[in-house]
Amino acid sequence: MYLFDRVEEKDRSGTFQVFAINMEDNQAYPLRDDAIISTSASAIEGFSLSISCHPEKYVYRGRFNTESEMKAFADNVSGLLYDANKKNDAIPFAPNVR
């Protein structure tokens, strides 16, 4: 299990990849497009979010004040993964050659 603070997309030589970033340890963990985002709400533990990329699991270190904040974060991560996958599958633009 690894902790992360934020998620971001990076262009690595024309290939788009999404990373879970651990700011305390200065680590970036690559997320695959088949990642499973899990959320939970508990009266004792509060709201939590994790991302599973078998066999690894990444747990969000931050805190969510509301369930809607947690859902918005999960939707953002899902959107980043979808967009990166879509960009990687796109046909590259080729200018008109004469």
Side-chain angles (χ1 to χ4, degrees):
M1 178 181 77
Y2 301 95
L3 299 176
F4 72 96
D5 302 292
R6 71 176 199 266
V7 176
E8 63 183 48
E9 178 186 339
K10 294 183 182 244
D11 179 352
R12 301 187 64 175
S13 302
T15 300
F16 295 90
Q17 192 163 13
V18 178
F19 292 88
I21 309 294
N22 179 335
M23 295 176 62
E24 283 188 11
D25 296 336
N26 197 28
Q27 294 288 322
Y29 310 113
L31 302 177
R32 295 189 313 267
D33 59 350
D34 64 346
I36 298 170
I37 302 167
S38 302
T39 59
S40 67
S42 165
I44 297 171
E45 296 178 16
F47 302 103
S48 65
L49 180 138
S50 65
I51 303 170
S52 297
C53 294
H54 185 73
E56 308 300 344
K57 183 176 182 177
Y58 308 99
V59 177
Y60 181 63
R61 183 190 330 261
R63 297 201 181 268
F64 301 107
N65 293 318
T66 65
E67 189 170 1
S68 62
E69 276 183 12
M70 179 179 63
K71 183 177 179 340
F73 189 87
D75 290 347
N76 182 53
V77 172
S78 181
L80 286 172
L81 290 167
Y82 176 80
D83 289 345
N85 189 40
K86 189 174 178 180
K87 289 176 191 175
N88 290 332
D89 289 342
I91 299 171
F93 174 75
N96 291 335
V97 179
R98 294 179 190 233

